[in-house]
Amino acid sequence: MFVVLLKFSDNKAQAGQFMDGHKVWIQRGLEDGIFLLVGSLQPNAGGGILAHNTTLSDLESRVGDDPFVAEKVVTAEILEITPTKADTRLEFLLG
């Protein structure tokens, strides 16, 4: 499982022109079953994604395809987590 942090860079002002592509990229990640949760980092600091069913190298490639990353609107950090315990509602993440 992975946590992807997309933190705004000095290019944050250009986010508007790449927003549509970024939204398409997010939707594709959800439809592919890779992204479990997508949301905003507060206060207005960027975004965060919970991802699974992928390898680190595949996720790095996917993240590199995000227009926000490609155009340096955000910097990406990927944290890998090996889950060992979960609430029963999230036990599917343990496998």
Side-chain angles (χ1 to χ4, degrees), residues 31-53:
E31 289 171 357
D32 290 347
I34 303 299
F35 296 168
L36 291 171
L37 177 80
V38 177
S40 297
L41 297 176
Q42 300 303 321
N44 197 25
I49 300 167
L50 183 61
H52 79 139
N53 283 341

Side-chain angles (χ1 to χ4, degrees), residues 59-70:
L59 183 59
E60 288 171 335
S61 178
R62 181 181 291 268
V63 168
D65 290 340
D66 177 5
F68 274 14
V69 174

